[in-house]
Amino acid sequence: MSTAAPSLPFQPARSAAPPFRVLPGFKLTLGYTLGYLSLLVLIPLAAVFLKTAELTFAEFWEVVTSPRVVASYKLSFGMSLAAAAINAVFGLLLAWALVRYSFPGKKLIDALVDLPFALPTAVAGISLTALYAKNGWFGQFLEPLGIQVAFKPLGVLVALVFIGLPFVVRTVQPILEDLDTELEEAAASLGAQRWQTFRHVIMPILFPALLTGFALAFARAVGEYGSVIFIAGNIPMVSEITPLMIITKLEQYDYTGATAIATVMLILSFILLLAINGLQAWTAKRTGRDR
């Protein structure tokens, strides 16, 4: 005769405890984030568009397409892209040297990379002008060669390279520090040349970070003012940047004209940054899929 197993008292299933979170709940955090973002970004940008809306389309088009303003667009965006490209190349080389090699003065150079972050932009502009003027330390040697830097578009490029370099170095440097050298050794053991190792092993890992540094350097360069106006010379149709055109409109109490130019600059910057971020996301996705 078999005996039935004793039945255990029924116990309701316990629901899983919610994960512990240091910050408050999602609704409160999201509300604070949106409020903070609105006060600092969305409301000021909306004010720019609302002020611009006071102009008719014909008036808006006349302001933003005047020859002097168009020349400033070409200078600001063209030099910003060129400076970001230069920083992408030399910033990568500098980050590589700081991570992979030990040499005297390494810590000093590493600290100097952050100098454009801490140095007031006006001080940077005055210093660069003093260096590259005709009687400056560098300008006195460049002038006989026919290379004029100060008070020329080339001076704008120099200033934008100076203020944008740290963005690339500090973005790429942590990725290089985490990059295992065994990958390079494995590629070399399989017969890969140095350029092949860099192109097929190292660059796919570094490219998203390098593109991020490029975007940051470009964004900083587009809106730069203090370090550029001293070395640019501010010659109409030659070395006037778009931020200077906005300041000029404000000094003339032409607020709608200033916001109109700012709107165009904002839209163009947003389109370029959106394209760069899209390329970065596509590259990261392709790299992850290839792995």
Side-chain angles (χ1 to χ4, degrees), residues 70-144:
V70 171
S72 72
Y73 294 151
K74 294 179 180 179
L75 179 66
S76 293
F77 286 97
M79 290 303 173
S80 296
L81 286 171
I86 292 172
N87 283 327
V89 175
F90 291 97
L92 174 60
L93 295 176
L94 180 55
W96 184 277
L98 291 174
V99 172
R100 292 300 179 90
Y101 301 103
S102 297
F103 51 88
K106 175 180 177 179
K107 292 187 178 297
L108 177 60
I109 294 177
D110 193 25
L112 288 176
V113 169
D114 294 327
L115 183 61
F117 286 150
L119 193 66
T121 55
V123 176
I126 294 173
S127 302
L128 292 173
T129 305
L131 288 174
Y132 289 99
K134 291 183 179 181
N135 56 347
W137 289 0
F138 300 154
Q140 61 180 338
F141 299 107
L142 295 176
E143 189 72 19

Side-chain angles (χ1 to χ4, degrees), residues 2 20 50 52 88 127-128 148 169 237 283 287:
S2 60
F20 174 75
L50 290 175
T52 304
S127 302
L128 292 173
Q148 297 180 353
V169 176
M237 306 291 294
T283 304
T287 304

Side-chain angles (χ1 to χ4, degrees), residues 275-288:
I276 293 171
N277 289 333
L279 179 60
Q280 180 186 7
W282 175 79
T283 304
K285 183 178 179 181
R286 189 188 66 173
T287 304

Side-chain angles (χ1 to χ4, degrees), residues 43-65 73 246 249-250 254-267:
I43 293 178
L45 293 183
V48 171
F49 285 99
L50 290 175
K51 190 66 177 179
T52 304
E54 296 179 4
L55 297 171
T56 64
F57 181 77
E59 292 172 339
F60 171 80
W61 188 254
E62 182 181 359
V63 171
V64 301
T65 59
Y73 294 151
I246 297 174
K249 293 286 185 181
L250 291 175
D254 184 6
Y255 300 118
T256 53
T259 55
I261 298 174
T263 300
V264 173
M265 200 172 183
L266 176 64
I267 293 173

Side-chain angles (χ1 to χ4, degrees), residues 67-69 71-73 75 134 148-156 228-242 244-245 248:
R68 189 172 173 181
V69 175
S72 72
Y73 294 151
L75 179 66
K134 291 183 179 181
Q148 297 180 353
V149 179
F151 317 125
K152 296 291 182 179
L154 185 57
V156 177
V228 175
I229 56 171
F230 292 100
I231 195 172
N234 309 320
I235 303 172
M237 306 291 294
V238 177
S239 58
E240 274 187 331
I241 57 174
T242 306
L244 178 61
M245 295 300 302
T248 303

Side-chain angles (χ1 to χ4, degrees), residues 169-186:
V169 176
R170 294 311 184 206
T171 304
V172 174
Q173 193 172 5
I175 308 301
L176 279 173
E177 291 173 349
D178 294 337
L179 185 61
D180 197 343
T181 56
E182 292 180 358
L183 296 175
E184 302 168 45
E185 295 172 357

